Amino acid sequence: MSDYGSTPPPPPPGSGDGGYGGGYAAPPPVGGGMGGPVDHPKGMTVLILGILGIVCCSPLGIVAFVMGNTALKEIDAQPGRYGNRQIVQIGRILGIVSMVLLVLSLIWFLFLGGMAVLSPSSS
């Protein structure tokens, strides 16, 4: 006689079903129930400031660079806690580019301003 069509045997007592009966327990969540890494609270702020520093207001690049450095230090201090290190790093790099553009524009204006003072006026 074959077992085709018969019901499976019940789980052994104490199988981890929590006393609810009727099946096996669900597998434990990945990561031990602690959840995955969360985003750093300043991550998007650093990225937005870096973008704005390049697009319209170069001094915001300084803020993005400083905030990005502190956020990266916090992320590196607790590597498993935060998961958006790359976003913070991109915002920090955009802040550096913005600061370089600010310095170049200041040199440009100072050079042109110095040339205007030194050039004879045609009056």
Side-chain angles (χ1 to χ4, degrees), residues 6-119:
S6 63
T7 60
S15 65
D17 61 357
Y20 296 109
Y24 297 99
V30 178
M34 297 293 293
V38 297
D39 290 344
H40 193 279
K42 294 180 184 175
M44 288 305 290
T45 306
V46 171
L47 182 64
I48 291 170
L49 287 174
I51 292 170
L52 288 176
I54 286 181
V55 172
C56 64
C57 186
S58 293
L60 290 178
I62 299 169
V63 178
F65 178 72
V66 171
M67 284 180 66
N69 280 339
T70 57
L72 282 177
K73 287 178 185 175
E74 292 172 3
I75 291 171
D76 290 339
Q78 300 173 350
R81 181 173 181 191
Y82 299 115
N84 62 344
R85 187 183 202 300
Q86 189 173 9
I87 290 177
V88 174
Q89 214 163 9
I90 291 170
R92 184 175 155 259
I93 291 170
L94 289 174
I96 292 171
V97 171
S98 173
M99 289 190 310
V100 168
L101 291 175
L102 176 64
V103 168
L104 289 176
S105 65
L106 287 175
I107 290 172
W108 178 260
F109 286 124
L110 290 175
F111 178 73
L112 287 180
M115 292 301 291
V117 170
L118 294 175
S119 66

